[in-house]
Amino acid sequence: MTGLVRQLPHPADFPAPPSVIHLARWKEADRAARPARLAVLRKRLSEAGLDAYFGVRPEHMRYLTGFVMDEGEDRVAGNSGRFLISGDEVVVLADSRYRLQAGSEAPGARIENVTYELAETWPALVKSLGARRIGVEASHVSQQLWVELVAAAPDVELVAVSGWVETARSIKEPAEIERIRAACAVADRALAAIVRRIKPGSKERALALALEWEMRTCGADGLAFGIACLAGPNAALPHGSPSGHEVRLGEALLFDFGALVDGYRSDMTRTLFVGEPSSRDVALYEIVAAAQAATIDLVEAAAAGTVPVPTGRAADAAARRVIEAAGYGDQFGHGTGHGIGLATHELPSLSRVAPEIPLPSPTVFSIEPGIYIDGETGIRIEDLVLFDAPNGTLERLTGFPRDLLIVGV
Amino acid sequence: MTGLVRQLPHPADFPAPPSVIHLARWKEADRAARPARLAVLRKRLSEAGLDAYFGVRPEHMRYLTGFVMDEGEDRVAGNSGRFLISGDEVVVLADSRYRLQAGSEAPGARIENVTYELAETWPALVKSLGARRIGVEASHVSQQLWVELVAAAPDVELVAVSGWVETARSIKEPAEIERIRAACAVADRALAAIVRRIKPGSKERALALALEWEMRTCGADGLAFGIACLAGPNAALPHGSPSGHEVRLGEALLFDFGALVDGYRSDMTRTLFVGEPSSRDVALYEIVAAAQAATIDLVEAAAAGTVPVPTGRAADAAARRVIEAAGYGDQFGHGTGHGIGLATHELPSLSRVAPEIPLPSPTVFSIEPGIYIDGETGIRIEDLVLFDAPNGTLERLTGFPRDLLIVGV
């Protein structure tokens, strides 16, 4: 059994959580970076002959304006946090609940009062910007709102735009990378802190909660997403939720989790084994590890300049070929990876349908092939890598060992 | 100081968390209720001359099909979980990650494979249902997807529909009320468990985490929403987030929080005082308490049949009048309340712009007036009530005392 190690990592093997000094530096870095972020968007506006950009996604709001809305807050915020960017102004919409916060977090913006009926104030708003043609995040603005805005200001043309801010965000600034790296370390430490507590009979839900508690009391502002902790046959559900299931000897135990640090996220999957795995599970683990290594090798070679920078589709194919060759192509239904940053899933995409353009740089994405046998078992190994072709580097940001680990014995 | 009590509640003052017996009963109740829920929707489809309903909201999916997606999971799920309901079929879309789970949770549904490109399979999908006119949740379907679907099947008419499932969901079934009641009790117990730990110098963030931990280890599946724990001037931010701020003697300490129990939510705000409050804060507290009592009195009288059932607008006005009369109308910017259930904010709405129709029955909503003095203090008192006019009852579901409580001394 190659790669099998029984030496479990310790929290102290990984970097310490960020301090208030880091937080202050990142805040300043965001402030300093915002004019350049706005300039990229304004250049696209100008090229497309548009007067303004209407955005609704919380991660874009934070990136472009500085106003931060907590996870899920946008669901109850109505139109608060939505924003308009023209050639020379940034306008953040906020109702009375958010006015003070928006003013303090987005000092460069004009804060405009808004109700749940945006259409009522829309004509005055677009007039105040002198905007006649407005690019709109059509993938996130509802059909209903679109129709209401068109009716409210029929002389203002709405133009669906897509991917502008996403594309800009896929290229990471140094302080963005620092935060993803910090989130990875928080997650590494947390799994290392709980790994000795896993025993046969441990419940998925209790382990997930213990892992969450470790992250949130040791450096994370929250979770990047709900923790998957899935044992045995449950691990065949690539996005299942932890249940009351008690892990049994010999079962795979899959953790898919990430930390949130100052808005930035990590994402890592480790499939541990509680006691000796079956030879079938070991074989699956080795196939998945080889598949992951194939994509890592490809992007590493691209970073070193020995092969061209691959597309997300080619990076996916490298892992997929290994799994297909082993006869499990149908048991690997999802993509090989995704970008990560202010959102858990963002550009670039590593999948069978990813666009045929080379990966950006510097960028951070996951590499996470898996094999899922319905009703039996599931294996996935996921790491985040920092890909920087101009700098010639490929760095793994998730530090927890990838070797097959046996726990609970 | 009327209403001032120093006797702090104990967790055991409130009902115990739900057991597996409750969970099994609720699961069965949902299964039994689903045909009637579908019948309500199908009646509306038929009345509107539509062949099918296309839904995208996770709470509607759960309500109508049984497929449960965890909080936030819909952000990474692509088109999985979206659904179509025709006169005789329920179709749930799921990619490989969700296929097994959807099949198990929505046994009455046809599970159809979907990718991130719904438009590719849309023509075959609507054809399999024989649907030519489809009602679409236009408030939650993006403009981009709408345009793609129209282009993919130009002979199929999409009709924007709004509020159909929301209106049905505003009338609560007995097993839905049981779960909201259970979520309220979990929250009551949790606040009672931590209230003695509050001291001058306690940090907002640490108190919020302690409260969350209590809920999640004592009956909650999760949070209804991110906890607000705001001290002193921070309490003036009606939707602020807990910070590193240390609560000081004499400050108001506002907790706005709720538990999630089997998909249903609670919501409660308590403004405690750490040490003796200022006479100004006591006066504000009494105004807010009187405002809340005014709305409660109104809906209580309506339930008893002594006054007509009010509209959400009239129920809001009852509280608002009290605050306006005290001279703080401009410091109460939000609505008086909102329905709650599978979503934290749902129908009915109690606000200045709520529709002029009587409140439904039986229904559950919050009553939560507040006064916010920028940079100084904020007071809000929020309870959930079960309003059931046919049954002649108005019941407060949140049990934690509403009297002015002094802690930390």
Side-chain angles (χ1 to χ4, degrees):
Chain A
M1 280 194 257
T2 53
L4 190 150
V5 292
R6 284 161 193 277
Q7 191 72 19
L8 298 177
H10 291 273
D13 298 347
F14 308 100
S19 68
V20 288
I21 296 168
H22 294 93
L23 290 171
R25 193 173 72 214
W26 294 331
K27 188 174 181 166
E28 172 54 25
D30 280 341
R31 197 199 56 71
R34 213 161 289 127
R37 298 176 188 170
L38 289 168
V40 168
L41 179 63
R42 284 170 171 149
K43 184 158 178 285
R44 293 200 75 154
L45 283 173
S46 162
E47 285 166 0
L50 298 174
D51 307 315
Y53 183 87
F54 176 51
V56 301
R57 294 174 67 174
E59 58 269 37
H60 294 175
M61 173 183 83
R62 177 177 184 141
Y63 183 77
L64 292 167
T65 77
F67 180 31
V68 176
M69 207 167 261
D70 277 358
E71 197 72 3
E73 180 75 25
D74 57 308
R75 287 171 197 243
V76 296
N79 290 301
S80 293
R82 298 175 166 188
F83 61 93
L84 280 150
I85 291 169
S86 71
D88 51 9
E89 267 208 294
V90 174
V91 174
V92 171
L93 308 180
D95 66 27
S96 69
R97 296 173 296 172
Y98 300 98
R99 189 171 43 81
L100 287 180
Q101 186 197 341
S104 133
E105 293 178 347
R110 167 153 65 95
I111 312 300
E112 281 287 342
N113 191 46
V114 73
T115 67
Y116 274 74
E117 302 302 326
L118 175 56
E120 287 175 5
T121 46
W122 182 253
L125 202 54
V126 297
K127 195 171 174 203
S128 76
L129 290 168
R132 303 298 297 264
R133 295 189 77 227
I134 300 181
V136 178
E137 291 183 347
S139 60
H140 287 73
V141 164
S142 73
Q143 162 71 4
Q144 180 177 309
L145 180 60
W146 182 286
V147 168
E148 287 171 359
L149 297 185
V150 167
D155 54 331
V156 173
E157 185 187 356
L158 303 188
V159 179
V161 300
S162 177
W164 289 11
V165 185
E166 290 85 343
T167 300
R169 282 177 45 236
S170 73
I171 298 169
K172 299 295 190 280
E173 300 159 3
E176 294 188 286
I177 294 166
E178 282 182 27
R179 282 173 276 192
I180 301 171
R181 193 194 305 276
C184 288
V186 166
D188 286 333
R189 288 172 73 99
L191 185 56
I194 70 144
V195 80
R196 283 169 196 77
R197 289 185 231 158
I198 301 167
K199 299 288 169 198
S202 298
K203 287 184 177 168
E204 291 173 352
R205 205 179 279 132
L207 292 174
L209 199 55
L211 183 60
E212 176 174 347
W213 186 250
E214 280 297 323
M215 286 196 279
R216 293 184 55 199
T217 55
C218 298
D221 301 320
L223 301 181
F225 52 91
I227 293 173
C229 170
L230 305 164
N234 292 346
L237 302 166
H239 272 243
S241 299
S243 72
H245 174 83
E246 296 178 4
V247 59
R248 278 174 239 161
L249 264 182
E251 281 187 339
L253 179 62
L254 184 155
F255 289 94
D256 187 352
F257 67 110
L260 182 69
V261 169
D262 198 33
Y264 288 80
R265 294 152 199 272
S266 72
D267 191 355
M268 176 168 74
T269 304
R270 287 295 179 265
T271 307
L272 311 175
F273 289 93
V274 183
E276 284 296 329
S278 67
S279 55
R280 192 269 311 260
D281 279 0
V282 173
L284 293 179
Y285 197 94
E286 291 180 346
I287 296 162
V288 171
Q292 198 203 32
T295 293
I296 291 178
D297 288 350
L298 172 63
V299 293
E300 200 160 36
T306 58
V307 301
V309 173
T311 65
R313 201 175 290 200
D316 172 85
R320 195 168 300 281
R321 263 195 304 271
V322 174
I323 291 177
E324 283 171 352
Y328 291 101
D330 291 343
Q331 283 73 47
F332 174 31
H334 58 78
T336 296
H338 55 84
I340 187 165
L342 287 169
T344 300
H345 285 191
E346 55 184 54
L347 296 178
S349 165
L350 280 63
S351 79
R352 282 169 285 190
V353 295
E356 300 271 32
I357 50 169
L359 293 170
S361 276
T363 194
V364 178
F365 53 82
S366 71
I367 304 179
E368 50 173 313
I371 297 176
Y372 312 95
I373 314 290
D374 280 8
E376 298 184 22
T377 192
I379 311 284
R380 179 166 67 252
I381 308 172
E382 174 183 24
D383 285 278
L384 293 191
V385 297
L386 164 62
F387 175 74
D388 190 344
N391 196 42
T393 52
L394 189 279
E395 182 193 351
R396 187 159 71 105
L397 301 179
T398 35
F400 197 95
R402 295 180 263 189
D403 304 304
L404 192 155
L405 281 185
I406 292 176
V407 298
V409 287
Chain B
M1 279 193 259
T2 52
L4 190 151
V5 294
R6 285 164 192 275
Q7 191 72 19
L8 298 177
H10 290 272
D13 298 346
F14 307 101
S19 68
V20 289
I21 296 168
H22 294 94
L23 289 171
R25 192 172 72 214
W26 293 331
K27 188 174 180 166
E28 173 54 24
D30 280 340
R31 199 200 55 73
R34 213 160 289 128
R37 297 176 189 171
L38 289 169
V40 168
L41 179 62
R42 284 171 171 147
K43 183 157 177 288
R44 292 198 77 152
L45 282 174
S46 162
E47 285 165 1
L50 298 175
D51 306 314
Y53 183 90
F54 175 51
V56 302
R57 293 174 67 174
E59 57 268 40
H60 294 174
M61 173 183 83
R62 178 178 182 140
Y63 183 76
L64 293 167
T65 77
F67 180 32
V68 176
M69 208 167 261
D70 277 358
E71 199 71 2
E73 179 75 24
D74 57 308
R75 286 170 198 245
V76 295
N79 291 300
S80 293
R82 299 175 164 189
F83 61 93
L84 280 152
I85 290 168
S86 70
D88 50 10
E89 266 206 295
V90 174
V91 174
V92 172
L93 308 181
D95 67 26
S96 69
R97 295 172 296 171
Y98 300 98
R99 189 171 42 81
L100 287 178
Q101 186 197 342
S104 132
E105 293 178 349
R110 166 153 67 96
I111 311 301
E112 281 286 342
N113 191 45
V114 73
T115 67
Y116 275 74
E117 302 302 327
L118 176 55
E120 288 175 4
T121 46
W122 183 253
L125 203 53
V126 296
K127 195 171 175 203
S128 76
L129 291 167
R132 302 297 296 266
R133 294 190 77 228
I134 300 181
V136 178
E137 290 182 350
S139 60
H140 286 73
V141 164
S142 74
Q143 196 268 346
Q144 179 176 309
L145 180 59
W146 181 286
V147 168
E148 287 171 358
L149 297 184
V150 166
D155 54 331
V156 173
E157 186 187 356
L158 303 189
V159 179
V161 300
S162 178
W164 288 12
V165 183
E166 290 85 343
T167 301
R169 282 177 44 235
S170 74
I171 300 168
K172 298 294 190 280
E173 301 160 3
E176 293 187 287
I177 294 166
E178 283 182 27
R179 280 173 278 191
I180 300 171
R181 194 195 303 277
C184 288
V186 165
D188 287 334
R189 289 172 73 99
L191 186 56
I194 70 144
V195 80
R196 281 168 197 77
R197 289 184 232 159
I198 301 167
K199 299 288 170 201
S202 296
K203 286 185 177 165
E204 292 173 353
R205 206 179 280 132
L207 292 173
L209 198 56
L211 184 59
E212 175 174 347
W213 186 251
E214 279 299 322
M215 287 196 278
R216 293 183 56 198
T217 56
C218 299
D221 301 321
L223 301 181
F225 53 91
I227 293 173
C229 171
L230 305 164
N234 291 346
L237 301 167
H239 272 243
S241 299
S243 71
H245 175 82
E246 294 178 3
V247 59
R248 279 175 238 160
L249 264 181
E251 282 187 339
L253 180 62
L254 184 155
F255 288 95
D256 187 353
F257 67 108
L260 182 68
V261 170
D262 199 32
Y264 288 80
R265 292 152 200 272
S266 72
D267 191 354
M268 177 166 75
T269 305
R270 287 295 179 266
T271 307
L272 312 175
F273 289 94
V274 182
E276 284 296 330
S278 67
S279 55
R280 193 268 312 259
D281 278 0
V282 172
L284 293 180
Y285 197 94
E286 291 180 347
I287 296 163
V288 171
Q292 198 203 32
T295 294
I296 291 178
D297 289 350
L298 173 63
V299 293
E300 199 159 37
T306 58
V307 300
V309 172
T311 66
R313 201 175 292 200
D316 172 85
R320 194 168 300 281
R321 263 194 304 271
V322 174
I323 291 177
E324 283 171 352
Y328 291 102
D330 290 343
Q331 282 74 45
F332 173 32
H334 57 77
T336 295
H338 56 82
I340 189 166
L342 288 170
T344 299
H345 285 191
E346 55 184 54
L347 297 178
S349 165
L350 279 64
S351 81
R352 282 169 284 188
V353 294
E356 299 271 32
I357 51 170
L359 294 169
S361 276
T363 195
V364 178
F365 53 83
S366 71
I367 304 180
E368 50 173 313
I371 296 177
Y372 313 94
I373 315 291
D374 280 8
E376 298 184 22
T377 191
I379 310 282
R380 180 165 67 250
I381 309 173
E382 174 183 23
D383 286 278
L384 294 191
V385 297
L386 166 61
F387 175 73
D388 191 344
N391 195 43
T393 52
L394 189 280
E395 182 192 352
R396 187 160 70 105
L397 300 180
T398 34
F400 197 94
R402 294 181 264 189
D403 304 303
L404 192 155
L405 281 185
I406 292 176
V407 298
V409 287

